[in-house]
Amino acid sequence: MAEAVPTDPTIEEEEAEEGTPTHHPSAPSHEFFYLSTTVDPSYIISLIRKLLPVNSASESEVAPESPNQGSPTRNTEEVVVSNDENLKSSKNKSENMDVDLSAEFCHPRGDGNERPRVSVGEEAWEEYGCILWDLAASKTHAELMVENLILEVLSTNLFVCKSERVTEISIGIIGNLACHEVPMKHIISIKGLIEIIVDKLFMDDPQCLCETCRLLTVGLQSGESITWTEVLQSEHVLCQILWIAENTLNLQLLEKIIGLILAILESQQKVVSALLPPMMKHGLANILINLLSFEISKLMTERMPERYSILDLILRAVEALSVMDDHSQDICSSTELFRLICDLVKFPDKVEVGNCCVTAAVLIANMLSDVADHSSKISQDLCLLDGLLDLFPFASDDEEARNALWNVIARILVRIRETEMSPSSVHHYVSVLVRKLDLIEDELLNQQAESGHEKESLFSSSSTANARETSLGRMISILNQWTAGKENAENVGNAEVPVSMTDVKRLLDCCHKFSK
């Protein structure tokens, strides 16, 4: 199903496709609406009517709509159940949740092999629901739907229907509606609806869980995040979120549940203060580190592109934790985490996971700032220095990331005692720097260009300037030491890593040019 993207209400609505798909039921011709949409509003209303629970609309299966039917308002109101009085929680399921979370997601309009065979009535409901799911991605259509009580209809279905497919579609429609400002206000105004949605975290079906996580993520990213937080803050619910993240093998569900955790971490302070402490108490930091370890091991051995987005989300979540005053120590003190992210930066094939490696470099910088002991572990790591220099092109549009790269590089270079090292050791450092000559030069030139072609403005950010200045100064010293002992460096078996004197002079010139 098409997923709506949260939009600013001031952004102009994209035009819907012309005409009505041939497989859709014909729209009623007796109603006419003056709305800016190429989909007949009366057709949308007719679809909403068809979603009425079967036992509420009639005792038979859903039948084609009669041309003489009136407004859907009265019929919808008759089937709306008081969610506050009838909501039945299944929160006691988490500890004994018998769920095959490794099952593959079925196609939204699949052949039914993944789930029990459904009735003709449910198949019809599914078809109408899927059409509305797609249409709800449009702001105009979404607003029309909530004005015609689709949320009341879906709320009733979520309460009375036992079908996993109907539940998935209902939550999927609400998830798209929630991406628009006006429908979101309608969602939070319906008493008990958010409680019903949160309760779906305890279902056994991965597809329903996936749509529930998506909807909760949208809610936390909206201007109504406090309302969603009030329902989510139950420790039992937060433990269920962690349980799913730790146990699911379903890639789509894992991506959605980590996305939900990230949304919590990136929310406003009131949300973070309410939800994060109990999650940390129940092991969020260790869960994220264990998930990161698994994803990096998969990256090193199998190179599965479908897992790259999961790796990215986990790294972003860990990075977010690393800068939170009350919780950073749980992340920054982990030697296992530090080893993992250093290994990721050293990963040779960065083309497809460049953004992940950049996030890892930022995380390294955060950890070094918080725990000084980590610095001693990387001072002799030539592969890490090589990997950090490789990341400049991937961080070209991210000032914070470039700052982090220069900071880590500076922390490595300041610990090098070139005057006390053998010519062979100095040669190895020089060979790394010279191999990355073009990357270093491009980074410095790009910084100068972005700063208005003024050398002085290159150092306008004091923290970045200090780290960059320190790095360039240390490069100059190391290159000069190599040059002074050039004959010795050439006679210690360097055939495998030859260094061009021309390149050394070029790098020296570059470092002098861009240092104060």
Side-chain angles (χ1 to χ4, degrees):
M1 287 302 100
E3 293 184 6
V5 178
T7 58
D8 189 300
T10 61
I11 298 177
E12 185 176 355
E13 179 71 16
E14 290 189 5
E15 203 170 50
E17 293 186 6
E18 293 286 342
T20 302
T22 56
H23 65 279
H24 292 176
S26 299
S29 59
H30 66 290
E31 297 175 1
F32 183 78
F33 295 82
Y34 294 96
L35 292 177
S36 176
T37 173
T38 54
V39 177
D40 190 339
S42 62
Y43 170 61
I44 294 177
I45 294 172
S46 74
L47 293 176
I48 296 173
R49 289 175 179 147
K50 291 179 172 65
L51 297 193
L52 290 169
V54 173
N55 60 355
S56 297
S58 70
E59 298 200 357
S60 61
E61 293 174 351
V62 177
E65 179 180 341
S66 167
N68 297 321
Q69 282 184 316
S71 167
T73 303
R74 183 177 60 82
N75 292 333
T76 304
E77 288 175 341
E78 289 174 359
V79 300
V80 173
V81 178
S82 173
N83 299 325
D84 187 51
E85 296 176 359
N86 295 290
L87 179 62
K88 296 180 180 179
S89 173
S90 58
K91 294 182 176 62
N92 60 346
K93 292 173 61 180
S94 64
E95 296 181 1
N96 299 300
M97 189 174 177
D98 184 16
V99 51
D100 179 13
L101 294 179
S102 64
E104 292 296 324
F105 276 51
C106 68
H107 189 275
R109 300 189 187 195
D111 57 12
N113 291 334
E114 299 83 354
R115 285 171 170 159
R117 184 178 294 276
V118 299
S119 67
V120 175
E122 186 176 324
E123 287 181 351
W125 195 102
E126 177 180 331
E127 179 180 0
Y128 306 138
C130 285
I131 296 169
L132 287 168
W133 191 346
D134 288 336
L135 291 174
S138 159
K139 177 174 175 285
T140 301
H141 299 148
E143 292 181 358
L144 175 66
M145 289 177 193
V146 296
E147 288 169 3
N148 286 274
L149 304 182
I150 190 172
L151 289 171
E152 286 79 358
V153 171
L154 294 175
S155 177
T156 302
N157 277 293
L158 287 173
F159 177 73
V160 304
C161 184
K162 304 302 181 184
S163 164
E164 292 170 343
R165 182 61 171 149
V166 169
T167 299
E168 178 200 356
I169 294 171
S170 297
I171 297 176
I173 295 172
I174 298 173
N176 277 3
L177 294 172
C179 294
H180 312 291
E181 184 180 26
V182 172
M184 172 61 84
K185 292 186 181 300
H186 280 266
I187 291 170
I188 65 171
S189 70
I190 297 179
K191 189 175 182 180
L193 178 55
I194 296 181
E195 285 80 0
I196 289 179
I197 292 166
V198 170
D199 196 59
K200 300 307 177 185
L201 285 170
F202 296 85
M203 292 188 66
D204 293 350
D205 184 73
Q207 292 162 270
C208 294
L209 288 170
C210 196
E211 285 306 313
T212 301
C213 291
R214 181 175 78 91
L215 173 51
L216 294 174
T217 299
V218 172
L220 290 173
Q221 292 172 337
S222 73
E224 308 295 340
S225 58
I226 298 299
T227 302
W228 290 87
T229 300
E230 290 171 353
V231 182
L232 279 170
Q233 64 186 355
S234 162
E235 194 164 319
H236 191 57
V237 171
L238 296 176
C239 285
Q240 178 68 1
I241 291 173
L242 296 179
W243 189 92
I244 295 171
E246 190 172 20
N247 289 280
T248 183
L249 300 178
N250 184 292
L251 295 186
Q252 289 175 285
L253 178 55
L254 181 57
E255 182 174 353
K256 295 299 183 183
I257 199 71
I258 299 300
L260 174 57
I261 292 172
L262 180 61
I264 292 172
L265 296 173
E266 293 182 342
S267 292
Q268 58 176 295
Q269 188 56 47
K270 287 184 179 180
V271 175
V272 174
S273 298
L275 303 183
L276 186 54
M279 296 179 77
M280 292 297 290
K281 184 179 90 171
H282 289 283
L284 173 60
N286 287 334
I287 289 172
L288 290 174
I289 293 172
N290 290 338
L291 288 172
L292 181 62
S293 177
F294 183 79
E295 293 303 322
I296 290 179
S297 69
K298 285 291 186 182
L299 175 66
M300 302 295 181
T301 58
E302 298 183 34
R303 310 280 180 93
M304 300 169 63
E306 61 269 27
R307 304 195 76 102
Y308 296 163
S309 59
I310 297 171
L311 175 61
D312 180 60
L313 287 170
I314 296 170
L315 284 164
R316 288 168 57 192
V318 174
E319 182 199 349
L321 269 180
S322 73
V323 295
M324 293 184 177
D325 293 338
D326 295 334
H327 307 288
S328 63
Q329 193 63 24
D330 293 315
I331 287 294
C332 294
S333 62
S334 172
T335 55
E336 170 67 7
L337 174 62
F338 193 75
R339 181 189 65 79
L340 287 170
I341 57 178
C342 287
D343 287 347
L344 182 56
V345 169
K346 290 185 278 188
F347 184 64
D349 188 7
K350 294 183 172 66
V351 175
E352 293 183 298
V353 292
N355 290 336
C356 295
C357 294
V358 169
T359 304
V362 173
L363 187 51
I364 291 173
N366 293 345
M367 295 182 74
L368 290 175
S369 298
D370 210 57
V371 181
D373 290 346
H374 289 315
S375 297
S376 60
K377 301 171 185 175
I378 62 173
S379 59
Q380 305 299 318
D381 196 336
L382 285 169
C383 290
L384 181 62
L385 177 61
D386 188 286
L388 290 165
L389 293 169
D390 274 337
L391 289 176
F392 277 125
F394 298 100
S396 59
D397 297 326
D398 189 337
E399 183 178 355
E400 179 187 357
R402 292 198 305 267
N403 184 13
L405 285 171
W406 281 117
N407 270 283
V408 180
I409 291 169
R411 287 177 182 271
I412 292 175
L413 296 180
V414 296
R415 288 179 171 267
I416 298 174
R417 299 290 181 263
E418 65 276 5
T419 58
E420 303 172 7
M421 296 166 59
S422 67
S424 175
S425 297
V426 176
H427 179 87
H428 287 310
Y429 280 100
V430 171
S431 66
V432 170
L433 296 174
V434 169
R435 283 202 310 272
K436 308 303 177 183
L437 167 60
D438 290 338
L439 296 177
I440 295 170
E441 188 173 41
D442 287 346
E443 159 66 10
L444 295 171
L445 287 171
N446 288 340
Q447 284 295 299
Q448 186 182 57
E450 291 174 8
S451 302
H453 303 281
E454 293 293 335
K455 178 181 175 181
E456 292 76 10
S457 63
L458 184 63
F459 302 93
S460 57
S461 171
S462 58
S463 60
T464 304
N466 291 338
R468 186 188 298 114
E469 180 72 7
T470 298
S471 297
L472 295 178
R474 295 299 302 129
M475 289 180 191
I476 291 171
S477 180
I478 293 168
L479 292 169
N480 284 336
Q481 178 70 22
W482 180 87
T483 302
K486 181 176 181 298
E487 290 186 2
N488 291 332
E490 290 176 344
N491 294 321
V492 289
N494 294 320
E496 294 182 3
V497 283
V499 174
S500 164
M501 189 64 191
T502 301
D503 288 340
V504 171
K505 289 181 178 179
R506 182 180 158 199
L507 181 55
L508 270 171
D509 291 341
C510 179
C511 291
H512 280 296
K513 177 181 178 181
F514 290 99
S515 60
K516 286 185 179 180

